[in-house]
Amino acid sequence: MTYSVRFTRGAEQDLLRLYDFLLGEDITAARNALEAISKGIEFLGLFPFSCRKVEGGTANPFLRELLIPFGNAGYVALFEIEDVKTISILAVRHQREDDYY
C-alpha cells in the first residue's frame, strides 16, 4: 500500500529555509540535499511504520521521525500517520539543528 504524503505549510517553509541555506554555500549540495529528501519521502510513502516513534513521552504512536542521510549528518522529518492513506510531514530540520519545537 502506498500512502499519500502531504507537507504542511510549516514543513514547506522548512524545506525552503534548508535549501536557501545550502544554496548560499554550494548549489550542487543544495540540489543533492533535495534529492536525498525526495528519496526519503518516497520511502516514507511505502513504509511509514518502519520509522522511529518520537521520543519525549508523546502518547501518539502515529507521530514519528524519518531519518534522511546526507553527507556527514542528514535531515529529520517529523510526520504523522493521519489515516490508512495519508501521511502529513509536519517539520523538516537538519540533524544538527535544535529540535522542532
Side-chain angles (χ1 to χ4, degrees):
M1 168 185 239
T2 301
Y3 288 76
S4 173
V5 180
R6 71 172 200 87
F7 287 81
T8 62
R9 183 176 303 271
E12 288 175 349
Q13 291 173 346
D14 289 341
L15 287 175
L16 289 173
R17 176 182 53 81
L18 293 166
Y19 181 75
D20 285 344
F21 174 79
L22 277 179
L23 193 59
E25 303 291 319
D26 182 349
I27 191 167
T28 302
R31 286 185 196 139
N32 291 342
L34 283 182
E35 185 177 328
I37 292 169
S38 178
K39 286 182 181 179
I41 299 306
E42 285 178 32
F43 172 83
L44 180 61
L46 296 172
F47 306 106
F49 286 98
S50 68
C51 298
R52 71 182 184 190
K53 294 178 187 174
V54 172
E55 294 181 20
T58 181
N60 184 352
F62 301 106
L63 190 61
R64 294 174 177 251
E65 294 178 316
L66 168 67
L67 301 178
I68 303 168
F70 182 72
N72 292 332
Y75 298 95
V76 182
L78 176 68
F79 70 93
E80 184 171 17
I81 302 166
E82 298 284 340
D83 55 40
V84 297
K85 296 181 182 179
T86 311
I87 295 169
S88 293
I89 307 290
L90 306 174
V92 182
R93 67 172 168 85
H94 190 273
Q95 287 181 342
R96 293 185 180 153
E97 285 185 273
D98 287 335
D99 210 356
Y100 311 104
Y101 311 103

